[in-house]
Amino acid sequence: MSAALALSPEVLAKYQPVIGLEVHVQLLTKTKAFCGCKNEYGGEPNTHVCPVCLGLPGALPFLNKQAVEFAVLAAKAIGCEIRETSIFSRKNYFYPDSPKGYQISQFDKPIAEHGVIVVPDATGAPKRIGVTRLHMEEDAGKSLHDGFPDSATRTYIDLNRCGTPLIEIVSEPDLRTPDEAFEYLTKLKEILLYTGVSDCNMEEGSLRCDANVSVMLKGAAQYGTKAEVKNVNSFRYIRAALEYEIERQIGVLEDGGRVIQESRLWNNGEGRTYSMRSKEQAHDYRYFPEPDLPPLVVGAEWQKQILAAMPELPEARRARLVADYGLSAQDAATLTTDRELGDFFESAAKSAKSPKRVASILLSEITMRLRAAGIELGQSPVTLDGLVLAADLAEAGEISSKQLKQLLDTCFTEGRDFPFVYDRDKPQQISDTSAIEAMIDEVIAANPAQVAQFKGGKRTVAAFFVGQVMRVSKGQANPALLNELVVKKLDA
Ligand code: ADP
Ligand code: ZN
Ligand code: MG
């Protein structure tokens, strides 16, 4: 969390924060943006390089078709319009890990503009955040400051990342709180993962975010001066950095100072931002059209071909899961945060008797055990068939929820699928009416207060009796039968 500053809630409430995000996303193409080098994370330093990405004199770039297709797919997924003819430009600056002395990017004619990402606001109502533009560019290499015997005096350069295709997605300054910024990033990542254009892995730097933030007095006609917080490597830290930065800027203004336009770095250990470099004089990148690349033309026909690969996106899928399977909005939302999880659910739901039961077992019992074991869904010992059988047995009341939990525990400890474990360990079940009735009588006799409540009209108390009898039966009472008999007995 961010380091707290000593500002009263009354003072904070006078100001309106304004936030705009710039997100860089590496595309999962096989090769780099402008050469045939492998586009792969890691690798022996300086092995995925060639004259083009090293910027050697005379080497000519050629544009990666797959990068264009991914950029168009991503742009369309966030509702952008595609510019039929876009232009690559050189953005000139010197940086040690960028051997060409410039970055190939797009400037005044980006490939896509005018998108929108819908986020929940503080009340949960949908709020539309404008996407100014999505443009294509290339990544720089990496400076390695640590980890070598002489790191105290030297910096090493790894150029493997040079020329990796990126898209940069720039939002309008439409975000108003750090929470909205968090939601925006979550939605954006979700959509990009669905399209498959990036793995959005923040630890490996495939998704990076610069957060611009300013504050102004509420009702002011003009935005305040912004600061840019660079390269924070998780959404939670971005939220914390914004919280800190908002308070810092308000503190500056309250002290009669002015906010300086600058880039700042987030220090996670200290929970605060530091000034990195002043942006007071606008950086002059001397943009000019890249002379070695022709204008990029993505005509209607090509756009149509690209869009054929557009999957159903999370928002649409959410609505469909509610409509088709009768799921709650909450369950549908959780199941669609991850495309694979949604696919897994739908495959199981199609063959199971109760899709709702499948959702509940998948989202509670299975997810919990995967998390505890530290494994992904793809590594789950309980496969699709296992989930379907478990859901059907639970739905039919042939196993109690306690037995289900025990069986799943066994699956996860032994690394075996549900059908095998169920056949081998077939749990005892008491389906003898008189035996269950005897247990119910016992519980009723022991809990006169709850019986009175039930008789007084609080029928939900029945669940209490079901739970108690389950305990007495060590989880072996047939749940369907038990439910029926409890109500009958209490009503008698
Ligand atoms: P720059 O020229 O410094 O790059 P841009 O106008 O291109 O600034 O905007 C970069 C990002 O900063 C965008 O995401 C935009 O929404 C955001 N932004 C612009 N002005 C402000 C402001 N006053 N406060 C907060 N964010 C802003
Ligand atoms: Zn290369
Ligand atoms: Mg800009």
Side-chain angles (χ1 to χ4, degrees):
M1 275 298 97
S2 67
L5 297 170
L7 289 171
S8 71
E10 292 75 32
V11 168
L12 293 175
K14 290 190 334 199
Y15 291 89
Q16 175 61 64
V18 171
I19 300 165
L21 301 176
E22 297 167 285
V23 178
H24 288 90
V25 179
Q26 289 182 341
L27 299 175
L28 276 177
T29 54
K30 293 194 184 64
T31 55
K32 291 186 181 180
F34 303 111
C35 63
C37 289
K38 244 195 232 153
N39 174 26
E40 209 174 70
Y41 178 77
E44 200 49 34
N46 301 306
T47 53
H48 302 299
V49 290
C50 74
V52 174
C53 54
L54 289 174
L56 299 186
L60 290 173
F62 47 96
L63 180 58
N64 182 333
K65 186 176 174 195
Q66 193 180 27
V68 177
E69 296 184 336
F70 281 175
V72 169
L73 200 60
K76 279 290 195 182
I78 52 174
C80 287
E81 293 159 23
I82 305 300
R83 182 191 302 273
E84 199 168 293
T85 304
S86 64
I87 302 288
F88 285 97
S89 292
R90 288 191 184 179
K91 182 179 182 180
N92 297 280
Y93 60 92
F94 176 76
Y95 212 72
D97 54 23
S98 172
K100 289 207 292 273
Y102 60 85
Q103 176 191 27
I104 302 180
S105 181
Q106 294 188 311
F107 182 50
D108 54 345
K109 292 195 171 64
I111 189 163
E113 287 171 303
H114 311 308
V116 62
I117 292 175
V118 180
V119 304
D121 70 7
T123 68
K127 175 172 175 183
R128 296 165 65 85
I129 306 300
V131 172
T132 315
R133 56 190 273 146
L134 176 152
H135 67 251
M136 300 181 68
E137 58 185 29
E138 59 178 336
D139 211 342
K142 271 188 206 164
S143 295
L144 309 174
H145 300 288
D146 306 301
F148 296 93
D150 52 354
S151 280
T153 53
R154 264 168 227 263
T155 291
Y156 287 82
I157 307 272
D158 176 8
L159 297 176
N160 282 350
R161 200 176 71 175
C162 258
T164 296
L166 295 178
I167 48 177
E168 178 174 343
I169 298 152
V170 182
S171 87
E172 290 289 309
D174 287 347
L175 299 156
R176 290 292 173 269
T177 64
D179 280 332
E180 283 182 10
F182 183 91
E183 295 291 346
Y184 172 93
L185 291 167
T186 305
K187 290 276 171 211
L188 176 59
K189 177 175 166 183
E190 204 175 276
I191 294 169
L192 292 173
L193 283 175
Y194 261 69
T195 61
V197 304
S198 175
D199 61 20
C200 297
N201 183 333
M202 288 192 92
E203 270 132 61
E204 295 182 356
S206 17
L207 187 154
R208 313 196 286 273
C209 176
D210 299 335
N212 299 270
V213 54
S214 63
V215 299
M216 60 180 177
L217 280 171
K218 279 187 181 153
Q222 237 183 341
Y223 292 156
T225 304
K226 69 175 153 74
E228 177 191 38
V229 187
K230 293 199 82 80
N231 273 335
V232 191
N233 65 4
S234 88
F235 294 172
R236 279 176 37 235
Y237 294 157
I238 288 168
R239 179 162 60 191
L242 286 169
E243 281 164 2
Y244 173 86
E245 191 54 27
I246 288 164
E247 294 199 21
R248 183 191 70 81
Q249 292 182 13
I250 293 174
V252 168
L253 296 177
E254 284 288 306
D255 285 346
R258 64 186 190 99
V259 174
I260 299 169
Q261 180 159 345
E262 62 182 351
S263 296
R264 298 180 67 89
L265 281 181
W266 168 249
N267 181 313
N268 198 43
E270 297 175 27
R272 54 164 294 182
T273 62
Y274 282 95
S275 178
M276 186 169 104
R277 60 169 185 252
S278 166
K279 244 194 170 181
E280 201 70 47
Q281 309 92 343
H283 214 311
D284 183 7
Y285 291 119
R286 294 181 295 119
Y287 278 101
F288 63 86
E290 165 62 62
D292 294 335
L293 287 168
L296 167 60
V297 180
V298 187
E301 192 47 41
W302 192 12
Q303 283 186 40
K304 219 174 91 189
Q305 280 171 30
I306 297 169
L307 287 184
M310 182 72 81
E312 180 184 34
L313 294 172
E315 213 58 57
R317 183 178 221 181
R318 219 154 276 166
R320 190 173 54 75
L321 291 193
V322 172
D324 287 5
Y325 300 105
L327 299 187
S328 68
Q330 175 65 50
D331 282 359
T334 316
L335 283 170
T336 46
T337 47
D338 178 6
R339 185 170 164 183
E340 234 197 308
L341 182 64
D343 290 349
F344 193 74
F345 164 75
E346 289 207 62
S347 308
K350 284 196 181 96
S351 19
K353 293 196 186 82
S354 162
K356 274 181 156 163
R357 179 74 69 169
V358 171
S360 98
I361 294 175
L362 181 55
L363 289 177
S364 55
E365 304 302 334
I366 305 279
T367 305
M368 188 180 83
R369 285 172 179 78
L370 289 173
R371 206 170 291 151
I375 56 176
E376 302 286 322
L377 183 61
Q379 302 158 298
S380 171
V382 178
T383 64
L384 210 60
D385 291 343
L387 176 58
V388 171
L389 178 63
D392 284 351
L393 289 170
E395 183 64 20
E398 287 177 42
I399 53 173
S400 67
S401 62
K402 183 167 177 200
Q403 289 167 338
L404 172 69
K405 285 176 206 285
Q406 284 166 344
L407 289 166
L408 289 175
D409 279 340
T410 309
C411 293
F412 275 77
T413 24
E414 294 185 11
R416 290 185 199 266
D417 204 354
F418 190 87
F420 174 90
V421 172
Y422 175 73
D423 274 347
R424 186 192 64 191
D425 301 353
K426 223 166 239 153
Q428 294 279 338
Q429 192 170 68
I430 305 171
S431 296
D432 172 19
T433 305
S434 56
I436 295 179
E437 278 177 343
M439 290 187 277
I440 296 174
D441 287 341
E442 189 186 314
V443 172
I444 283 182
N447 297 280
Q450 281 82 355
V451 174
Q453 277 181 359
F454 184 90
K455 301 247 186 239
K458 203 169 168 214
R459 299 188 65 84
T460 49
V461 178
F464 163 80
F465 288 96
V466 170
Q468 292 299 307
V469 176
M470 263 304 174
R471 258 189 35 202
V472 172
S473 76
K474 300 195 169 59
Q476 293 179 356
N478 178 317
L481 192 57
L482 172 59
N483 273 309
E484 186 193 314
L485 293 175
V486 159
V487 174
K488 216 184 212 164
K489 280 270 179 193
L490 285 169
D491 273 333

